[in-house]
Amino acid sequence: RMPRPGAYAWRHVVGLEATRASSDKLGRRATVSGHANYAAYCVAFDGAGEFVVTGSDDHLVKVWHAASATLRATLRGHRNVISDVAVSPDDATVASASEDGTVRLWRLKDGAAIAALGLAGPPGAWLEDRWGPPVESVAFDETGGLYACGNGHLDARGWAASNIFDAWGRRDWSAGGVDGWDRLVEGCPLRHAPGEEPRVLAARANVVATGGGSGGVWLWRGLDDEVAGLAIAKRAADARLEAHRATPAVRDPEQRATRAAKGEELAAVAAAATAALSSRAKLGDLEHGHAKATTDLSFSNEGDRLLSASVGDATACVWAWGADAAGRAVAPSRLIMRVGGPDEE
């Protein structure tokens, strides 16, 4: 959402205080009206600039033909306001995030529904109205990875969206196996520490950045084969531990001791799998971020710089970092720009 109207500095930065020269240069080409009187706070172009995707508080996502300003498709399925939209690098897929707790995938060319994804719960939990907290931010990277996060979710999550699209195109709904549908739509968590509250993200060049309500900014490795393999191992370890805990209790002291020892062994394996995934996926923390919640993130085209912003503390930071032999971020530095005026809190 936009900053409050009284913030002149923000209004100037985002172009609301346009000069005559900028108005002439950025002349209005067309006005589209398709969301009735509902607000539309998110918009995205496809890579070719042929289509524009909008999301609105009317629970709808719409695809427009940019040149003619005509409606191409209306995407229905969300049950709450749309918080963010994104288009995949190959212009095949649209992703929409909603306050209903889901991310939905659609085929751009005709608006066909592909999948509904959740940040919390098992695959398909959204069907039982167990949506979870809102999803606020969604982004693709150049390899077809899709990432999302939202206030109230402990972690961000990533999916191999290109693989989901391919499986959907083949009508392959098989649940099991390494490439099974359930594994694809479950995705891979990006584990955050308690209190970090990831709410916004950006992705570029196989690097993902997340920002949270604590004001922090974190860097993650994109979903390569190694990260995906570690995620599979973690899910398998968690499943074995849950199955063991679900077995009936026993009265015999010796059997009870054996069961407890087995539980401790499985818990240790699950913890090790979680630690291995987190260690490989997380590239580093950009310490001393913002004093208040991070509200926006954007990578440079090369992916070697990151812009973060906070409406709450009226600052923007440009980040740069090095990399060690394992690819982890080291020696981060930042340039701070304070853009708040005297009327800012």
Side-chain angles (χ1 to χ4, degrees):
R1 302 297 187 264
M2 295 296 296
R4 57 189 179 84
Y8 170 78
W10 276 109
R11 289 168 61 84
H12 183 72
V13 168
V14 302
L16 295 182
E17 300 291 342
T19 64
R20 182 177 181 84
S22 64
S23 297
D24 292 341
K25 184 177 180 180
L26 300 175
R28 180 181 299 177
R29 297 185 57 183
T31 299
V32 296
S33 178
H35 291 291
N37 292 322
Y38 290 91
Y41 286 109
C42 45
V43 60
F45 278 93
D46 72 334
E50 183 178 359
F51 299 105
V52 181
V53 181
T54 58
S56 171
D57 286 1
D58 61 2
H59 308 181
L60 300 177
V61 178
K62 290 180 179 284
V63 180
W64 309 83
H65 186 252
S68 62
T70 55
L71 181 63
R72 178 68 177 266
T74 297
L75 314 182
R76 305 175 186 273
H78 283 295
R79 291 176 277 189
N80 209 326
V81 302
I82 310 302
S83 51
D84 200 10
V85 293
V87 181
S88 63
D90 60 1
D91 293 339
T93 312
V94 173
S96 55
S98 171
E99 293 189 9
D100 67 10
T102 67
V103 175
R104 289 180 179 263
L105 294 179
W106 320 82
R107 187 163 59 185
L108 176 60
K109 69 177 184 180
D110 58 6
I114 298 173
L117 312 172
L119 271 69
W126 59 275
L127 287 172
E128 303 172 16
D129 290 350
R130 291 184 286 132
W131 307 339
V135 183
E136 297 180 276
S137 186
V138 65
F140 286 96
D141 66 13
E142 289 83 352
T143 65
L146 173 67
Y147 307 90
C149 64
N151 184 29
H153 293 279
L154 298 179
D155 304 308
R157 188 167 289 268
W159 299 268
S162 57
N163 293 346
I164 293 176
F165 183 85
D166 292 341
W168 174 81
R170 298 191 306 269
R171 299 298 191 267
D172 182 3
W173 318 121
S174 56
V178 173
D179 294 318
W181 181 258
D182 284 356
R183 186 192 70 80
L184 290 175
V185 299
E186 182 180 356
C188 174
L190 303 179
R191 297 290 185 191
H192 289 69
E196 291 181 341
E197 303 174 14
R199 300 184 61 174
V200 63
L201 55 77
R204 177 80 67 175
N206 206 35
V207 177
V208 181
T210 57
S214 62
V217 179
W218 307 277
L219 297 178
W220 308 83
R221 194 185 311 275
L223 291 182
D224 58 17
D225 291 341
E226 183 175 357
V227 171
L230 290 171
I232 293 172
K234 178 191 177 304
R235 283 193 293 269
D238 289 344
R240 289 193 294 269
L241 178 60
E242 289 301 318
H244 175 77
R245 289 173 173 172
T247 57
V250 294
R251 294 184 177 182
D252 181 82
E254 184 175 347
Q255 292 181 348
R256 189 163 57 246
T258 300
R259 182 177 185 275
K262 183 64 174 178
E264 292 177 358
E265 177 186 349
L266 292 174
V269 171
T274 299
L277 175 59
S278 299
S279 175
R280 177 59 181 167
K282 194 168 189 178
L283 295 178
D285 300 338
L286 302 183
E287 298 179 357
H288 312 297
H290 296 279
K292 295 187 178 181
T294 305
T295 53
D296 201 9
L297 293 169
S298 181
F299 277 102
S300 64
N301 289 337
E302 293 77 17
D304 60 347
R305 297 289 187 275
L306 178 70
L307 175 67
S308 66
S310 171
V311 172
D313 67 7
T315 63
C317 296
V318 179
W319 298 88
W321 57 89
D324 62 14
R328 296 185 179 87
V330 296
S333 60
R334 65 174 177 167
L335 171 66
I336 304 175
M337 300 175 287
R338 183 164 184 83
V339 296
D343 61 340
E344 290 288 334
E345 296 178 357

